Amino acid sequence: LFMTMTEQQKGRLPVIVVPHHYDLKYTKIDLVRHVFDGVLRMNVTVPEQGTNWSRPSLLLHSLELQILSCSLTKSANTAAASQTEEESWSAIEYRYNIPQQTVEIIFDDFTGFASAVPGTAYTVQMQFQGILNDQMRGLYRSTYTGLDGQPHTMATTQFEATDARRAFPCMDEPACKATFQLTITIPSNLQGISNTPFESVHTKFDGNTAVKTITYQKTPKMSTYLLALVVGEFDAISTTCGSIQTTVYTVPGKAQQGEFCLETASRCLDLYQTLFSYPYPLVKSDLLAIPDFAAGAMENWGCVTYREAKILVKEGSTSETTRRGIARTVCHELAHQWFGNLVTMEFWTQLWLNEGFARFMEFVGVHALFPDWDAWTEFVQSVYGLAQSLDSMKSSHPVEVEVHHPDEINDIFDAISYAKGASIIRMISSLLGFDTFMKGMQIYLERHAYGNATTEMLWRALEEASGKPVALLMNPWTVQTGFPLLQLKGDGSLETPRFLASGPGSDPSEFTCSWPVPVTVIVDGESEVQGPWIIKGPEGDETPILLEHISKWSKAGKWFKLNADQTAFVRVAYTPEQWQLLAPAMAPNGQLSAIDRLGLISDSFAAGRGGYSSIVDSLRLVETFGEHETADYAVWQELSENLADLATVYRSEPFFPKFQAYLGKIYSKQMQVLGWDAKEGESQRTGTLRAAVINMMGKSGDETVREEAYRRFCAFDQDGINIPGDLQRIVFRLALQHDEENVLIALTRIYEKSTFPEEQRNCLSVMGSVKDTKRHTDVMEYALFSGKVRLQDAAFPLNTLSSSSDEGGRACWNAFKNDYDRFSFKFAGGPMWGACVGLSCRGLRTLAEADEVESFFQAKPPGSAKRRLIQGLEAVRTRATRLDRDREQVAAFL
């Protein structure tokens, strides 16, 4: 009613005033009654260009808050004002618009900001109340069991993307930057941690209770979503590097499990200051482990909050994968202190500027800090592969996507913004050279520090550093959905359609998009990488030159591998003749690196699944992998993920036992080489490879593997004999397959007694793989409604249940459909709603089932889960179509 239609559609506040400073006081944060009281003093000015807001009111973001009183004061003696006395107006009405998450504050006898001179300063003062919710957003409560065995509660914040408005009325948009000074009054036995150090602390008695009032130093100019506050009881460990103190906070009794995280954070902060040529703007860097936390971590400036599993390392129990994930997360969040906090995207449309860069820089950081980890191989196997998997779907979206409502904003925190964003940044970094790329990033940071930026501003900085037409090269990658397939044809030509998981001819966008692609090539016998040649480049199409070279190499009988190091964000499909030449080159001791070998496997299976080639060709390509004595983890992980995907598709087919025999042939030799137990001097990744091999032997139906897993599980459960972190989940799963009834009881007991997040997650994930149909319902009830599983963890068993068996997938949908009101009441609109909706249908198998789901949601719109629903249905339909297409040829091959 009070915004123009354009503004409503964009979901943004009209430009009424500009915020400069928030003086925010929480006079009560009640951890028993779960409420808070606040007082806000907000300094604003009329924008230099003026405003057309003529109503006698101010519009702010506010959600689940009650404003008790408010006044507006025009400051005296401002440069723009002629009066010498203050003018003041009191609020007479508060108009809450819940769908738009705003409040319009109507002032008595106020003529409106449109009549004010640009630059006129005002102060808004108000009192408000709110709720410490349990939905992991805004200012919320988190609970845990203390060392005394009793439940304890802390208060913490999660404001990204649009939830600062749940904690105080504000202008809750990235471009509305201001400074903040926070004051809190809390019981004296509690600690309060925020973005900046204390400015003052005063203690007094309120009746018989000692309370303290903490005022924090003023923050730098920043967006609302970066403000943070955590109140509770903590243990801490600290270190200092230069003038910056880094501290890890945990609930009491867990601080020592943060040592690896602390060391990584301190070293990474020092590295980034050198790399970015811009000092860290604060004097402290805190990392806080929060028991209930929806995301992995949140980059609040100087006060980064984490899920416990992303901080805590327990020697002998933490898997190598989790340890590396912790290092990646720490480096990711610290990269945000520059990319996102110092320079912030103008609006959520440019989210990728934050998340894509942080994902890319986390690997730069990990590679520098842990050079023996081979971080860029992991990037290709996980980040790059994940991005291509999602972006090959018709339901994908551009990297830079226009968003309106907060529900849509939350939707784009996905693999496109993070993983595709990082992948195209790696592509341009490789093309320009890393040093030149970083020079451009230094220009970008220096120019836009404490301000906001757009994608065009980034391209401009890189163009200045490189002298290359970066914008023309990169704009197609951010504004178009999808990516190309480089498809070599038998007649020597090259086609570049959009690659689609649903296959050629499945979408009109296939030939309507065009991307400039820098192509590099590894050639048989050549020591140097050839190229780059830029296909459809802004300065000319170099496809003919590339094809001349391909023709020459082919006539010489040489193999060649396009897209060296998988730097371009493309898939490649070769002719059958070219694959025959490439197959021998994939041996571990050959010319190709691990990245290029896993890239060939990935491209081959992707083309086979999509119908661009035969999936049988992919199965033949890797048939002899079991003969390799040396196994690179990343290559075998890529192979295992692709074969496990096929096992999921084929598991109900008559030929599945033969497919299991095929798996056994590939993995049995590696099982013999690796065994169950670590050998002295083996690499860190060998344990993870061992787990992958044992997992695939389990999928092959090998009963001796299941029996040994069950023996080890019993020794762990009954005698306390440790299972290495890398093996724990797969041992749990295989033991469950051996004795479902008793192992499920044991896993439930282990989960409820455990205080270690990775072990808890392993238990929950494996519980979802039960086969008994009655237990499907029991597991869902336990995970979602018993109150014994944290909201943040409920998706783990649901994900496994929906994917581990056809019956489990159907059980998920039936439960959701038949008890929809209960699911909706508890989860709708919250952080887990998208996972509930997406996973409820993702395990279905037929086109008819997908139609049933679609019909159901036509009558019950899924709201914020719409994109997850569309993606889930597309996955079901694509899988069903693949099976119908490939069934006969796979059966014949086996």
Side-chain angles (χ1 to χ4, degrees):
L1 295 177
F2 46 78
M3 297 173 68
T4 68
M5 183 57 67
T6 300
E7 287 161 346
Q8 283 185 325
Q9 289 171 348
K10 290 183 177 179
R12 300 185 65 170
L13 292 176
V15 180
I16 305 173
V17 291
V18 177
H20 295 284
H21 179 70
Y22 294 83
D23 192 320
L24 177 60
K25 295 180 172 68
Y26 286 105
T27 56
K28 180 174 72 175
I29 299 176
D30 192 328
L31 299 181
V32 176
R33 295 178 178 84
H34 307 148
V35 294
F36 58 84
D37 294 344
V39 177
L40 174 65
R41 180 185 175 95
M42 181 180 177
N43 298 332
V44 302
T45 60
V46 176
E48 292 301 323
Q49 71 273 23
T51 178
N52 60 5
W53 187 262
S54 58
R55 295 173 62 83
S57 62
L58 175 63
L59 190 67
L60 297 175
H61 286 116
S62 179
L63 186 62
E64 298 176 356
L65 298 174
Q66 181 182 8
I67 300 175
L68 305 177
S69 66
C70 182
S71 65
L72 176 69
T73 302
K74 181 190 287 187
S75 301
N77 295 320
T78 63
S82 59
Q83 83 281 357
T84 58
E85 295 183 2
E86 292 184 343
E87 292 183 75
S88 185
W89 302 267
S90 296
I92 57 173
E93 187 179 354
Y94 307 102
R95 298 180 180 175
Y96 296 94
N97 185 324
I98 294 174
Q100 289 296 322
Q101 303 183 357
T102 58
V103 58
E104 185 183 13
I105 305 170
I106 312 294
F107 296 101
D108 186 26
D109 203 30
F110 180 51
T111 57
F113 292 102
S115 62
V117 176
T120 301
Y122 293 84
T123 301
V124 183
Q125 297 187 77
M126 68 178 73
Q127 291 180 293
F128 61 92
Q129 293 178 330
I131 299 170
L132 284 175
N133 69 73
D134 59 357
Q135 294 296 304
M136 301 183 292
R137 54 188 179 180
L139 177 55
Y140 71 93
R141 65 186 187 268
S142 175
T143 60
Y144 62 95
T145 301
L147 296 175
D148 57 3
Q150 298 302 309
H152 291 248
T153 303
M154 68 169 69
T156 186
T157 55
Q158 172 58 39
F159 289 166
E160 190 181 34
T162 58
D163 288 316
R165 65 194 66 177
R166 296 176 189 268
F168 61 102
C170 56
M171 299 176 69
D172 198 13
E173 295 178 7
C176 297
K177 286 193 167 185
T179 56
F180 298 80
Q181 185 152 36
L182 182 63
T183 300
I184 63 171
T185 298
I186 58 175
S188 61
N189 64 307
L190 300 181
Q191 295 169 263
I193 303 152
S194 188
N195 305 80
T196 52
F198 297 166
E199 183 176 276
S200 65
V201 181
H202 300 288
T203 303
K204 66 177 183 179
F205 278 89
D206 182 4
N208 295 323
T209 304
V211 298
K212 60 185 175 186
T213 298
I214 304 170
T215 298
Y216 299 89
Q217 295 175 14
K218 185 190 290 188
T219 70
K221 187 179 180 182
M222 66 186 195
S223 303
T224 49
Y225 77 88
L226 295 171
L227 186 65
L229 173 65
V230 185
V231 176
E233 299 171 276
F234 305 101
D235 281 352
I237 51 174
S238 297
T239 188
T240 300
C241 183
S243 61
I244 301 167
Q245 180 172 327
T246 298
T247 305
V248 170
Y249 293 90
T250 72
V251 299
K254 293 186 177 182
Q256 296 309 310
Q257 294 179 30
E259 288 183 349
F260 173 73
C261 179
L262 178 68
E263 180 188 2
T264 302
S266 182
R267 293 172 61 204
C268 183
L269 200 61
D270 192 44
L271 168 72
Y272 283 165
Q273 291 188 92
T274 302
L275 201 57
F276 301 149
S277 294
Y278 199 106
Y280 178 68
L282 302 175
V283 297
K284 74 176 183 72
S285 173
D286 294 337
L287 303 88
L288 297 96
I290 308 299
D292 296 282
F293 198 79
M298 174 59 209
E299 66 267 20
N300 316 299
W301 216 349
C303 185
V304 182
T305 44
Y306 291 77
R307 188 179 282 220
E308 282 190 324
K310 295 295 185 180
I311 281 188
L312 305 182
V313 171
K314 188 175 180 181
E315 293 304 324
S317 298
T318 296
S319 65
E320 182 65 18
T321 297
T322 294
R323 182 187 295 269
R324 295 186 182 210
I326 288 171
R328 281 180 49 187
T329 303
V330 168
C331 292
H332 180 102
E333 301 309 325
L334 289 179
H336 272 311
Q337 308 302 296
W338 286 265
F339 295 99
N341 299 7
L342 181 66
V343 180
T344 311
M345 73 259 148
E346 193 274 334
F347 192 61
W348 299 105
T349 295
Q350 299 95 22
L351 173 65
W352 85 280
L353 287 177
N354 280 22
E355 299 302 347
F357 269 92
R359 176 95 338 140
F360 173 76
M361 289 308 307
E362 81 186 49
F363 282 88
V364 173
V366 168
H367 179 68
L369 299 179
F370 306 98
D372 58 328
W373 281 11
D374 199 13
W376 289 111
T377 302
E378 182 179 342
F379 178 95
V380 172
Q381 201 280 315
S382 57
V383 176
Y384 177 96
L386 175 64
Q388 289 194 326
S389 178
L390 183 55
D391 207 30
S392 65
M393 300 177 74
K394 291 181 285 187
S395 54
S396 183
H397 61 82
V399 167
E400 189 164 310
V401 56
E402 187 172 350
V403 287
H404 310 296
H405 191 270
D407 286 347
E408 296 174 325
I409 295 170
N410 293 328
D411 246 0
I412 62 171
F413 281 80
D414 64 4
I416 300 301
S417 297
Y418 285 73
K420 184 180 179 180
S423 296
I424 65 173
I425 290 165
R426 177 173 174 262
M427 179 171 66
I428 191 63
S429 170
S430 177
L431 184 64
L432 301 181
F434 184 72
D435 291 342
T436 300
F437 172 80
M438 287 309 304
K439 181 181 177 182
M441 298 317 302
Q442 291 162 8
I443 293 171
Y444 173 79
L445 289 172
E446 185 70 38
R447 180 172 295 161
H448 304 293
Y450 301 103
N452 297 85
T454 63
T455 300
E456 290 72 23
M457 295 173 183
L458 170 65
W459 300 153
R460 198 174 303 134
L462 291 173
E463 286 177 341
E464 288 183 34
S466 67
K468 294 184 181 295
V470 176
L472 293 174
L473 280 165
M474 297 304 295
N475 275 336
W477 291 96
T478 59
V479 302
Q480 297 182 128
T481 302
F483 60 93
L485 171 70
L486 307 185
Q487 190 167 26
L488 293 164
K489 311 296 284 188
D491 61 2
S493 63
L494 175 68
E495 292 184 355
T496 57
R498 178 185 172 190
F499 179 84
L500 291 162
S502 50
S506 61
D507 192 82
S509 70
E510 187 175 6
F511 288 100
T512 59
C513 297
S514 177
W515 297 266
V517 181
V519 179
T520 51
V521 189
I522 301 171
V523 181
D524 184 10
E526 300 286 345
S527 58
E528 298 293 326
V529 173
Q530 308 295 299
W533 295 280
I534 302 192
I535 295 173
K536 299 180 181 178
E539 297 176 315
D541 185 0
E542 296 180 328
T543 302
I545 303 172
L546 172 62
L547 290 176
E548 285 182 18
H549 284 84
I550 288 176
S551 176
K552 179 181 68 175
W553 300 324
S554 297
K555 289 177 180 177
K558 293 186 173 184
W559 60 258
F560 56 89
K561 194 263 179 189
L562 301 186
N563 198 20
D565 283 336
Q566 304 297 104
T567 51
F569 194 69
V570 299
R571 289 286 188 193
V572 181
Y574 300 92
T575 65
E577 295 76 19
Q578 290 157 348
W579 272 120
Q580 284 183 359
L581 293 172
L582 274 168
M586 294 175 67
N589 57 354
Q591 185 178 338
L592 293 175
S593 67
I595 288 180
D596 287 305
R597 296 202 309 281
L598 77 85
L600 286 171
I601 293 172
S602 180
D603 282 345
S604 173
F605 276 93
R609 286 193 302 269
Y612 294 93
S613 61
S614 170
I615 193 65
V616 168
D617 292 341
S618 304
L619 294 172
R620 285 200 179 98
L621 178 71
V622 300
E623 194 171 12
T624 60
F625 257 58
E627 299 171 9
H628 295 164
E629 290 289 346
T630 306
D632 291 291
Y633 164 74
V635 177
W636 278 74
Q637 181 64 19
E638 182 66 32
L639 172 64
S640 300
E641 288 179 8
N642 282 283
L643 292 176
D645 173 77
L646 294 182
T648 299
V649 176
Y650 301 155
R651 62 192 173 203
S652 297
E653 296 300 307
F655 61 73
F656 185 60
K658 293 182 179 179
F659 184 76
Q660 289 181 298
Y662 169 88
L663 294 179
K665 178 182 175 183
I666 292 176
Y667 286 91
S668 56
K669 184 172 183 179
Q670 284 301 322
M671 183 73 242
Q672 293 171 8
V673 171
L674 294 168
W676 280 86
D677 299 308
K679 298 174 178 61
E680 186 176 351
E682 71 178 24
S683 71
Q684 294 170 315
R685 262 312 194 197
T686 301
T688 319
L689 173 62
R690 178 178 292 110
V693 170
I694 292 172
N695 180 46
M696 294 306 292
M697 286 300 293
K699 290 184 181 297
S700 77
D702 189 298
E703 193 56 42
T704 60
V705 168
R706 291 178 180 172
E707 290 172 356
E708 178 61 16
Y710 181 69
R711 185 191 70 78
R712 289 172 181 257
F713 177 83
C714 292
F716 167 77
D717 182 41
Q718 298 166 14
D719 304 322
I721 297 176
N722 186 54
I723 300 172
D726 289 311
L727 292 182
Q728 189 182 78
R729 184 178 303 191
I730 185 57
V731 167
F732 285 4
R733 182 179 296 123
L734 292 174
L736 186 79
Q737 293 173 7
H738 186 80
D739 181 0
E740 183 169 290
E741 180 178 1
N742 291 309
V743 172
L744 180 61
I745 293 170
L747 286 174
T748 305
R749 183 181 66 252
I750 293 167
Y751 169 75
E752 293 178 0
K753 289 177 61 178
S754 177
T755 60
F756 187 57
E758 185 174 5
E759 183 173 74
Q760 291 174 325
R761 188 170 67 243
N762 288 341
C763 289
L764 289 173
S765 296
V766 172
M767 286 179 195
S769 61
V770 291
K771 295 293 191 293
D772 183 273
T773 53
K774 181 185 179 301
R775 294 191 186 109
H776 292 157
T777 304
D778 294 342
V779 167
M780 277 189 285
E781 187 70 24
Y782 182 81
L784 300 174
F785 300 109
S786 70
K788 296 181 179 180
V789 177
R790 293 185 186 276
L791 182 63
Q792 66 181 15
D793 297 330
F796 293 130
L798 196 62
N799 180 51
T800 312
L801 182 59
S802 69
S803 60
S804 60
S805 69
D806 295 350
E807 295 77 14
R810 185 70 207 185
C812 281
W813 170 242
N814 285 339
F816 189 84
K817 175 185 65 174
N818 296 332
D819 212 1
Y820 176 80
D821 289 343
R822 189 181 181 207
F823 277 84
S824 178
F825 179 79
K826 181 167 184 177
F827 299 106
M832 301 307 298
W833 181 237
C836 282
V837 172
L839 293 175
S840 72
C841 64
R842 204 175 184 95
L844 300 176
R845 291 186 58 84
T846 68
L847 298 177
E849 288 174 319
D851 292 342
E852 174 192 337
V853 174
E854 192 166 56
S855 177
F856 177 86
F857 281 108
Q858 285 175 352
K860 299 179 183 294
S864 60
K866 179 179 178 181
R867 190 182 296 275
R868 292 289 293 270
L869 172 64
I870 293 170
Q871 291 170 347
L873 290 177
E874 183 179 351
V876 172
R877 287 172 170 139
T878 300
R879 204 162 49 234
T881 303
R882 279 171 49 198
L883 181 58
D884 286 344
R885 182 195 64 214
D886 295 340
R887 179 181 284 112
E888 290 185 7
Q889 60 174 324
V890 172
F893 164 73
L894 293 172

